[in-house]
């Protein structure tokens, strides 16, 4: 089935048209600066890269341009899958778009206002412009929906929790689900207790026992857990009250600081990109060194937390930009987990490949893998399962 996967943001719209049977990607691209001057679409069509400078005052115009571009591909669109950041308390799994399910995406939007409103608008636009095509909602939180209550519940008064739906929702669920599926297939059913380490500019770990999420490091929002490119990760929550009262910062300023000006960027003082931070460390910059140490310390610490949630772990999987590419950070985290019996083979760790691969030694107590994630394929497969 040829599925168009759409990942809409407030000022961008990523797309990919792929075949679920072969995994062939016919086209992909990103509409950037929607609603802002200088908007353009960077794309790859039939293997050829291009850029289209077009006005995109709104998402409707962007969707129109994407469909026009896709006319240049010999693969008729048979269904559309929409990545939705927050499924809230409604989506234990992906769902076909109806008035009701689209209403749910809007109802839970206060939990992810920068994403859900734009995503809901784009779903509506697609339904409206192409009424013959089926649309599917694929929430990034769905995989975490059935975590045990002791993992998702926050120790806050029950009336507040219930009225405002304050709980752990997690994120990157579509990636973690793809990782489980791939590892299960690759290891022939040998993996049972897996910690999926999605380490990109956003980063989260997920404890997966026989395909079910037991816990994850992101919380009510994707700010929780690990130190990320520009996000601080877990802090004492009282830090917010302290800064509000003593530093005179507004809630919006604290929000922006913690999401956009913290993490590797703040500690290194150099960059949010792990490559720049590692390069800085190698040149002797001590702030970069501390940033790298904090990052690997937190990944190792939360890895052990995820293992505890399953009372064991047999498989560790690295994925996303850092997990797939940084042999240095993979080795540095593994070294901190030496006490758990993790041993990686330096030669296997140095291999560069787009295929799933084992990088641990045969005597490692925990098998360590690198598996490139593919959220778009996972979304497309959900569309096929629900519409095909
Ligand atoms: P993502 O959000 O998954 O695209 O990941 C972005 C992160 O991946 C950035 O911190 C990059 O530094 C890191 N990354 C991407 N490519 C490489 C690479 N070849 N080596 C090391 N880190 C990389």
């Amino acid at each position: 089935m040829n599925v168009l996967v759409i990942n809409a943001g407030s000022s961008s719209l990523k797309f990919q048209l792929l075949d679920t049977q072969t995994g062939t990607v016919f086209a992909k691209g990103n509409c950037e600066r929607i609603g802002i001057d200088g908007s353009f679409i960077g794309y790859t069509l039939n293997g050829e890269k291009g850029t289209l400078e077009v006005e995109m005052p709104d998402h409707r115009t962007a969707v129109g341009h994407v469909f026009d571009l896709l006319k240049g591909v010999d693969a008729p669109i048979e269904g559309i899958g929409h990545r939705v950041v927050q499924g809230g308390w409604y989506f234990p799994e992906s769902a076909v778009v109806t008035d009701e399910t689209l209403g749910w995406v809007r109802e839970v939007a206060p939990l992810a206002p920068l994403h859900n409103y734009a995503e809901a608008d784009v779903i509506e636009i697609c339904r409206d412009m192409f009424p013959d095509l089926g649309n599917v909602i694929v929430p990034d939180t769905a995989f975490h929906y059935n975590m045990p209550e002791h993992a998702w519940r926050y120790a806050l008064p029950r009336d507040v929790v219930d009225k405002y739906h304050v709980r752990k929702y997690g994120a990157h669920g579509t990636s973690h689900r793809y990782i489980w599926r791939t590892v299960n297939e690759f290891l022939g059913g040998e993996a049972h207790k897996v910690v999926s380490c999605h380490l990109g500019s956003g980063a989260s770990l997920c404890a997966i026992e026989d395909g079910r999420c037991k816990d994850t490091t992101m919380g009510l929002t994707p700010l929780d857990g690990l130190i990320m490119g520009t996000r601080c990760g877990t802090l004492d929550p009282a830090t917010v009250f302290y800064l509000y009262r003593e530093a005179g910062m507004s809630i919006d300023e604290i929000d922006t600081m913690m999401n956009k000006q913290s993490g590797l960027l703040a500690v290194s003082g150099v960059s949010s990109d792990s490559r720049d931070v590692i390069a800085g460390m190698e040149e002797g910059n001590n702030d970069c060194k501390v940033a790298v140490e904090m990052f690997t310390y937190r990944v190792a610490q939360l890895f052990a937390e995820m293992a505890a949630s399953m009372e064991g772990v047999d498989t560790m999987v690295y994925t996303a930009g850092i997990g797939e590419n940084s042999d240095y950070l993979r080795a540095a985290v593994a070294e901190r987990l030496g006490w758990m019996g993790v041993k990686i083979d330096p030669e296997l760790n140095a291999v560069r490949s787009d295929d799933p691969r084992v990088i641990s030694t045969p005597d490692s107590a925990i098998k360590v893998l690198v598996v490139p994630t593919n959220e778009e394929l996972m979304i497309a497969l959900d569309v096929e399962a629900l519409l095909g």
Side-chain angles (χ1 to χ4, degrees), residues 35-208:
I36 309 172
D37 280 353
S39 54
F40 66 95
I41 308 176
Y43 62 85
T44 307
L45 216 62
N46 298 316
E48 302 240 340
K49 280 187 195 288
T51 307
L52 187 64
E53 286 179 24
V54 278
E55 282 194 21
M56 287 183 283
D58 50 39
H59 284 86
R60 178 173 284 270
T61 323
V63 171
H65 286 308
V66 169
F67 274 81
D68 281 346
L69 264 176
L70 295 177
K71 285 184 189 149
V73 178
D74 188 21
I77 301 167
E78 294 167 300
I80 310 177
H82 298 267
R83 179 193 188 219
V84 166
V85 162
Q86 179 55 265
W89 53 99
Y90 280 117
F91 293 93
E93 54 196 15
S94 301
V96 174
V97 173
T98 61
D99 289 344
E100 186 178 40
T101 55
L102 181 55
W104 293 340
V105 174
R106 289 222 161 87
E107 191 181 333
V108 304
L111 288 165
L114 293 182
H115 292 98
N116 271 46
Y117 288 117
E119 287 156 0
D121 287 348
V122 168
I123 294 170
E124 193 150 23
I125 290 164
C126 288
R127 278 179 102 192
D128 192 33
M129 287 172 80
F130 310 99
D132 295 338
L133 285 174
N135 288 269
V136 169
I137 292 164
V138 182
D140 226 13
T141 49
F143 188 56
H144 308 302
Y145 189 94
N146 285 312
M147 269 184 280
E149 185 169 353
H150 57 250
W152 63 253
R153 188 169 275 281
Y154 287 163
L156 290 168
R158 205 170 262 273
D159 54 342
V160 173
V161 168
D162 291 348
K163 183 165 179 201
Y164 294 100
H165 305 280
V166 182
R167 55 162 280 178
K168 179 182 278 201
Y169 291 103
H172 294 144
T174 307
S175 172
H176 291 305
R177 187 156 56 100
Y178 177 81
I179 294 303
W180 162 259
R181 180 180 173 276
T182 309
V183 167
N184 190 36
E185 217 172 270
F186 182 68
L187 295 181
E190 199 188 287
H192 296 288
K193 297 184 179 190
V194 175
V195 178
S196 167
C197 307
H198 180 112
L199 307 179
S201 45
S204 72
L205 309 186
C206 184
I208 309 170

Side-chain angles (χ1 to χ4, degrees), residues 217-371:
T217 58
M218 282 177 166
L220 177 80
T221 75
L223 181 57
D224 205 0
L226 298 167
I227 294 170
M228 299 170 235
T230 61
R231 287 175 245 170
C232 57
T234 305
L235 300 167
D236 179 345
T239 311
V240 177
F241 325 139
Y242 179 76
L243 290 173
Y244 175 75
R245 293 190 189 116
E246 296 301 318
M249 294 176 78
S250 69
I251 292 297
D252 284 343
E253 283 168 343
I254 299 171
D255 186 342
T256 303
M257 178 186 75
M258 290 185 174
N259 275 293
K260 304 226 161 98
Q261 299 156 355
S262 299
L264 291 180
L265 174 66
V267 181
S268 71
V270 167
S271 169
S272 62
D273 189 310
S274 63
R275 284 168 290 198
D276 300 335
V277 181
I278 293 169
M281 178 187 71
E282 286 167 352
E283 284 159 15
N285 180 324
N286 193 56
D287 293 337
C288 290
K289 179 167 173 273
V290 173
V292 168
E293 283 172 357
M294 285 171 69
F295 181 85
T296 58
Y297 174 68
R298 289 292 290 154
V299 176
Q301 198 176 34
L302 294 189
F303 178 86
E305 201 176 278
M306 292 298 106
S309 75
M310 298 184 286
E311 299 178 19
V313 50
D314 50 58
T315 311
M316 172 184 201
V317 189
Y318 284 113
T319 193
I322 295 172
E324 290 168 30
N325 295 298
S326 181
D327 47 347
Y328 175 85
L329 289 174
R330 286 196 299 256
V333 171
E335 198 166 310
R336 286 190 185 276
L337 293 171
W339 64 274
M340 289 177 92
V342 172
K343 281 192 213 164
I344 62 171
D345 178 322
E347 275 181 32
L348 295 178
N349 188 32
V351 170
R352 303 197 74 81
S353 161
D354 290 335
D355 295 325
R357 57 200 183 276
V358 174
I359 60 165
S360 48
T361 59
D363 64 337
S364 177
I366 296 167
K367 201 163 251 184
V368 185
L369 282 82
V370 177
V371 178

